[in-house]
Each structure stands twice: as structure tokens, then as C-alpha cells.
Amino acid sequence: MCGITGWVAFDQDLTRQGETVEAMTATLADRGPDESGVRLYRHGALGHRRLAVIDLPGGVQPMTTRTPEGEVTLVYSGETYNYLSLRDELVRRGHRFTSRSDTETVLRGYLEWGEAVAERLTGMYAFAVWDERQEKLVLVRDRMGVKPLYYHHTRDGLLFGSEPKAILANPAFPRRVDTGCLRELVGFTKAPGWSLWKDMHEVEPGTVLTVDRGGVREHTYWRLETAEHTDDAEATIARVAALLGEIVPQQLVSDVPQCVLLSGGLDSSAVTALAARHQQRSGEKPRTFAVDFAGYEDNFRPDELRETPDAPYIRDMVAHVGADHSDVVLDSGALLDPALRRAVVGARGMPIGLGDIDSSMLLLFRAIREQSTVALSGEFADELFGGYAWFHHPAARDADTFPWLAFQNTYTADRTEPLRPELRAALDIGGYVADEYAGAVAKVEHLPHEDAFERRMRTSSHLHITRLVRAMLDRKDRMSMATGLEVRVPFADHRLVSYVYNAPWALKTLDGREKGLLRQAVADLLPRSVTERVKSPYPSTQDTGYAVALQEQTRQVLADDSHPVFAVFDHTWARRAADADPASVTGAVRTGLERLLDFHVWADLYRPELILP
């Protein structure tokens, strides 16, 4: 895993812009702590930060090959899991390799197939090719959007980077944020191509972007397609089990230490069991990690999101597979450290407001990175197999909006309440969400024989796979790469996604259970306690002292009325929340305080020009 950035400018000589390209590259140092490299051409420049995972000495980037017509240079982030079979095919076609890296396979694949190389890759990746032969830049992002990639049009070309901060490091980019940018931050529809910064965009998953003197063009090489599912229940279970049995071992290829993120839930336990089965065949002992909070299990209180703590199920799973397991135990004091919030906001690049959910993840990944470089995760299974509560809650399921927004609990109250009234009116979040929902639903293809309920559930599945999961993947990528940890996501394999997406809802909920299809596909690998466990979200601290500390930090922010945070947040709301009974600082109120504190840090870190009413 790595970080990439670059600059195309057809009216400038970029060989004179080495200092700026170096600065852009340096912003991605956390993503690639092992090596740094820059390649400058007259009209194209590429930068790379490397996290060495495969062929440590041979995968140095930018990677260049010379042809009679000119050089072709690649910067690449991610992993191509089928690179060995592609390499064999390229060797048969006459290519000669000088390394064992998947990076060289992608580069030589581009020489052989051009932009169509993207269609042959299985993995998670974002890469850029500067083709000096045609003075052309090619940007490619993986099918599911596991690896991020952003760009900005300039007057004579384009800037790009794995994260917005690489683009922000170029003086040509104006750091503006307006109401249009904030709508998605508040609305949480995960609009395709959105960035918090005005005139910056995300390369959409499954897309190739080309830039030359003729302009910028986009080509979609993969999309989620509707197809008839012809397998019966038994065959479907067997097919899912077979796909997972192929995918997980494929993602264990690495020249550095690796592990699995284990929560004791169905998804992470399935990945753990499959990894253990593969590793034990070669005499390896599986390595697992989990996050926990001091006193959490002993003092656990069930709530509307979590029925049980994770720890008992983690112990069952560790005993079942004989894992070498470590718990990373955190306390509220560590979670409330202002330096940690600053690190989280810097990693996310925007003020999300997830509080201890994000900060604990960053601390978890820091601890893991001391012992492993690669981790496998159960992310994507809930979106793919229908694990979230709102899939099964009639009011949320049947609402004509995004199900995760329709689902009502203490955390999903009015997200605009903490904002200044003038800004709330200008944002018109209700209208924005309605427009985004209509556009998203219009992209869903249905089969002629599907009844109203099946159409509804296909639509919901499509929204989760093409919208919500991208936010979850982005979070996991930013938190892990901020520590130099590569997290792989077996459930995001496009072969599995295409197959399960088209399975009827009755198959996904076999035996009337959420993720019933997945449960049956992996039941023989797991202890019964884990197989039967109800979905439980990522843990959050229940320490009452956490809310008290949030209020105190908010009072410190309130001391400076002129801070840019109050161009967005309502001072009166903040004062009321800061002075309220700490017992009432739960759910949406706590989230509002977290967002305010995040925005305060974000404005200090990135110094945006806010164009707001």
C-alpha cells in the first residue's frame, strides 16, 4: 500500500517544479513510510510514497520502462491479487520482468493492453501512468473504491493524489469550501465523486480517467450489474463458501507480517477462520487483534445498537482456531487526548465527528503496526449480505430515502440542529438528500419478474454497495494508512460482490436471519456462539466521564467567538450542549459535539476559505 500524487500541465515546464511535487508527495508520508520517489517530465510529474509489502527491494517507484517511442512511468497504490497469473500471461507474450512485484505486472500490463489493463486486475488499487509517448496521464481506481484517488482540473491540466492533502500542497489549488461542499458532509448520502473541497473530485470506483492535450475523459470499466440468479439455496451457499475459500488465501500473499482484525462478529470471524485454515496448512499460527475499552465487558450495558460486548465471542473464536491474539485495551483518557483528535482529523481530512469510534480505530491500528504490516478485515459484509438493522426494519426499509438515514434512533436525530440557522436554511439538506436518492435509485436495474418487495431490496442493496460502503471503506483506509498499515478487504472482491448482489433477498436471509446466506456458508468454520451472534456495530466507550470531557473541551472552543467553527456551528446550541446535564449528552447531542470539535481542529489544520451565508 502506498500514496500517489502528480501534476499534468501542458503550458508549463514541470521539470522546474520539483520542489512543489516533492511537497505534494511528502503529505503522503504516513501512507508510505518506507521510501519516497519523484519523476519529472516536461508536462507530467509523478510522486510516490511506498509501504513495502511485496518484493521489498524490487518494487521501488515511480517505476519506469523505456520503449522506442518514449518512457512510460507508473505510480501505484494497493495490491493486485492475481498478479502472478497476469505475469505468466505477459511472459508468454514476450515481456521480460526485472522484479517480483505486482507493480511491474501492472506496468507491463499497461504496455500490453493499454487502459484495458484495468479490466484484467483483481484487487484494490489506485494508480497513475504517465505515458510520455503520447503525453498522456491515465488514472485508474479499483472497482469497489477500496483505495482512494482525487483530482482537480487546472487551467492547463490536472492535479491528483491519494488524498486531498496532496492536492492542497500545490499552490495552484484554491482552498475553498462552500455550501455545496457541506451538503454532503451533513447529508451523508456518499454522493459519487464528492470531495469536501470545492472543485476537487473523487475518481469514481471502476473508472479510468485520461488526460491529454485534448482534455479529460472518463471511462467506466466496471459497474454493478443486474443478472438472473439461477442457483438454488444449496448451490448458492456452496458458491459463496468456494469464493471466500479462494479469495482469503489470495489476499494473504505478502512478504511482511500479517494479521486479521477480529471483533467476534460473523464477518471478521469468517475471515479469521478462512485465514487460519490456509495458514495452518503451512504450519503458521494465525495472528489476530481486537480493540477493547478498560472495564467495558464488566460494566457493559445493552443499548439499541449493541446487545452484547465483543470479548466473549473473541475468546471463543481465538480458542476455536488457536490464534495468537492480542487485545488493544484503551481508556477514555487516551481517547480524549486533543493530540489524538488532531491526528484523526488529519488522517480523515475532514470533520466527520465519529469521536471515539475513529480515535479508537487509529489507536488500534497504531498498536497493530508495531507487529504487523498487513491486516485482513471483515468490512463490506454487512452491506453485501444485508447485516444492518435498517435492512430489516420496515419503516427504514420502506422509506423513500437512504435506509441508513431513515433508521431512527438516538444517533439519527436531526443532523442539522447544531448548525447556524442561516446555514441550515441554505443547505436544505432535505431537498439535497431527496435529489441524491432519486438519482441513485434511477441507476438501479431490475429484472422483469421482480415483485415490489424484491425490487425494494435490490434497490437497498445497490445503495449500500455503491454508496454507504464507500464511506466505510474510506474510513478504514484513512485510519489504517495514517499508521502505515495495509488493510485488505476480502468481502470487497468484485466476483463475490457480483454474485451475492444478484442473489434474491430470500437467499440472503436464509432461516429468517440477517446475513443468513453468509452464516450458512461459513457455519462449519465457526463456533456456534459466533454463528448465532446478532450483528453488533464497532464498539464505542460507555464511560460517562467521556461526555463530561467533551463538554469541557467544547467550553474551551466557545471561549473564542471569532473562530471559523462558528461560521458553521450555532454558538447558542454549543453553549446549551456544553452546559447540559452530562447524562443527556448521548446520541445525536454527543455526535454534534464531536463534529464541532472536529471542525474546530480541521479549520486550524487546513485553513479553508469558507464561502457560506
Side-chain angles (χ1 to χ4, degrees):
M1 204 76 74
C2 307
I4 65 172
T5 188
W7 187 1
V8 174
F10 293 109
D11 294 343
Q12 301 181 58
D13 182 356
L14 294 183
T15 61
R16 301 178 179 179
Q17 295 290 342
E19 185 175 343
T20 298
V21 178
E22 291 278 7
M24 294 169 67
T25 306
T27 65
L28 303 172
D30 288 340
R31 298 186 72 89
D34 296 328
E35 293 174 320
S36 178
V38 164
R39 188 84 173 187
L40 304 177
Y41 296 93
R42 184 173 179 82
H43 298 303
L46 301 177
H48 185 265
R49 292 290 313 202
R50 186 185 184 207
L51 175 64
V53 172
I54 294 176
D55 189 6
L56 276 59
V60 177
Q61 300 182 50
M63 185 175 285
T64 299
T65 186
R66 293 175 174 83
T67 75
E69 295 80 25
E71 292 185 346
V72 179
T73 298
L74 169 73
V75 286
Y76 170 83
S77 169
E79 303 295 340
T80 297
Y81 302 124
N82 65 331
Y83 79 99
L84 291 175
S85 61
L86 287 176
R87 177 190 176 101
D88 290 343
E89 182 176 355
L90 288 165
V91 167
R92 290 194 297 271
R93 290 171 176 262
H95 291 265
R96 299 179 64 183
F97 284 76
T98 60
S99 75
R100 296 185 297 104
S101 70
D102 58 338
T103 303
E104 187 176 6
T105 300
V106 174
L107 177 57
R108 296 198 174 277
Y110 174 80
L111 293 176
E112 180 68 30
W113 299 299
E115 298 163 19
V117 66
E119 301 168 16
R120 296 172 178 265
L121 305 180
T122 296
M124 56 177 193
Y125 46 81
F127 62 86
V129 176
W130 175 253
D131 193 334
E132 184 72 1
R133 301 170 300 181
Q134 305 172 61
E135 289 192 327
K136 178 177 73 172
L137 176 74
V138 177
L139 297 177
V140 179
R141 192 173 181 205
D142 67 69
R143 294 170 180 83
M144 297 301 148
V146 180
K147 304 314 299 175
L149 188 56
Y150 294 83
Y151 67 96
H152 165 68
H153 293 286
T154 63
R155 61 175 180 78
D156 65 338
L158 183 131
L159 302 171
F160 72 88
S162 292
E163 297 182 26
K165 59 188 176 186
I167 298 172
L168 297 176
N170 191 303
F173 182 76
R175 299 183 174 214
R176 301 190 186 112
V177 173
D178 63 10
T179 52
C181 304
L182 289 182
R183 283 191 182 99
E184 176 55 36
L185 182 69
V186 178
F188 195 55
T189 73
K190 198 58 179 85
W194 173 79
S195 160
L196 179 56
W197 298 94
K198 183 175 174 58
D199 299 324
M200 188 187 297
H201 310 280
E202 193 176 30
V203 176
E204 292 191 36
T207 297
V208 176
L209 196 86
T210 58
V211 186
D212 58 22
R213 291 182 181 275
V216 179
R217 294 175 299 281
E218 286 188 18
H219 164 65
T220 300
Y221 70 91
W222 187 90
R223 61 169 50 90
L224 189 62
E225 294 184 343
T226 297
E228 191 77 46
H229 185 85
T230 57
D231 291 343
D232 63 14
E234 183 178 359
T236 301
I237 294 167
R239 178 61 176 157
V240 170
L243 282 169
L244 288 171
E246 176 184 351
I247 292 164
V248 171
Q250 197 174 46
Q251 296 198 14
L252 288 169
V253 175
S254 171
D255 293 336
V256 294
Q258 55 194 307
C259 65
V260 181
L261 307 177
L262 177 61
S263 70
L266 178 68
D267 315 333
S268 66
S269 296
V271 175
T272 298
L274 288 161
R277 184 176 69 179
H278 176 74
Q279 291 173 317
Q280 288 164 352
R281 289 169 180 165
S282 58
E284 296 180 66
K285 191 172 186 178
R287 190 85 170 91
T288 57
F289 288 86
V291 67
D292 200 359
F293 301 101
Y296 188 80
E297 182 178 4
D298 292 339
N299 301 301
F300 179 80
R301 302 182 305 276
D303 59 29
E304 57 191 324
L305 294 180
R306 300 169 184 86
E307 293 186 7
T308 56
D310 291 342
Y313 302 93
I314 292 172
R315 288 193 293 269
D316 287 352
M317 195 62 210
V318 168
H320 188 70
V321 300
D324 179 5
H325 179 74
S326 296
D327 287 316
V328 178
V329 182
L330 309 173
D331 61 54
S332 293
L335 296 173
L336 288 160
D337 183 352
L340 179 59
R341 185 180 294 275
R342 187 177 180 88
V344 167
V345 174
R348 294 298 300 263
M350 51 186 168
I352 296 294
L354 290 181
D356 66 303
I357 294 177
D358 270 354
S359 56
S360 64
M361 182 175 282
L362 185 64
L363 292 176
L364 169 66
F365 289 157
R366 282 179 179 174
I368 293 173
R369 186 61 177 87
E370 294 176 359
Q371 302 180 59
S372 293
T373 307
V374 172
L376 270 64
S377 165
E379 198 79 75
F380 210 123
D382 284 316
E383 293 83 0
L384 182 59
F385 288 92
Y388 291 119
W390 47 79
F391 272 110
H392 312 277
H393 189 282
R397 182 191 65 207
D398 299 336
D400 288 328
T401 189
F402 297 97
W404 55 91
L405 298 181
F407 185 66
Q408 293 297 308
N409 61 28
T410 58
Y411 291 88
T412 56
D414 184 4
R415 296 162 63 87
T416 68
E417 184 181 1
L419 306 181
R420 291 174 46 245
E422 302 90 342
L423 181 59
R424 283 206 305 268
L427 289 175
D428 184 20
I429 295 301
Y432 170 78
V433 170
D435 289 344
E436 283 297 319
Y437 179 73
V441 169
K443 294 180 180 179
V444 183
E445 299 174 348
H446 295 281
L447 296 173
H449 61 77
E450 289 178 338
D451 61 23
F453 179 77
E454 193 65 34
R455 290 173 65 89
R456 170 70 68 176
M457 299 319 295
R458 179 182 290 281
T459 296
S460 184
S461 295
H462 194 280
L463 296 176
H464 282 78
I465 295 170
T466 62
R467 293 271 187 149
L468 182 64
V469 79
R470 295 178 184 176
M472 303 298 105
L473 292 172
D474 185 73
R475 169 180 175 249
K476 188 66 66 71
D477 173 86
R478 299 297 183 89
M479 292 292 98
S480 62
M481 294 310 296
T483 69
L485 177 70
E486 174 178 298
V487 174
R488 300 177 178 179
V489 194
F491 286 110
D493 187 289
H494 71 280
R495 296 165 296 177
L496 179 68
V497 171
S498 294
Y499 183 78
V500 175
Y501 169 66
N502 283 299
W505 187 247
L507 288 180
K508 292 176 185 173
T509 54
L510 284 170
D511 294 335
R513 291 292 306 275
E514 84 282 0
K515 294 187 288 193
L517 173 57
L518 178 59
R519 288 179 196 281
Q520 294 206 25
V522 298
D524 62 330
L525 300 173
L526 306 177
R528 186 173 180 83
S529 61
V530 172
T531 305
E532 295 301 318
R533 189 186 183 193
V534 174
K535 160 71 182 173
S536 183
Y538 184 87
S540 177
T541 181
Q542 295 184 330
D543 185 350
T544 54
Y546 187 87
V548 174
L550 281 183
Q551 290 178 297
E552 175 56 33
Q553 291 181 8
T554 302
R555 283 191 283 270
Q556 295 173 17
V557 171
L558 283 163
D560 182 5
D561 291 349
S562 64
H563 194 278
V565 69
F566 295 114
V568 174
F569 287 85
D570 182 47
H571 194 281
T572 302
W573 178 90
R575 172 60 65 188
R576 186 170 61 248
D579 293 340
D581 180 350
S584 70
V585 181
T586 60
V589 177
R590 174 168 153 175
T591 300
L593 290 180
E594 297 279 20
R595 281 178 168 243
L596 181 148
L597 294 171
D598 277 7
F599 197 97
H600 182 266
V601 170
W602 175 79
D604 286 346
L605 280 175
Y606 292 100
R607 301 292 177 181
E609 177 188 352
L610 299 175
I611 308 171
L612 305 173

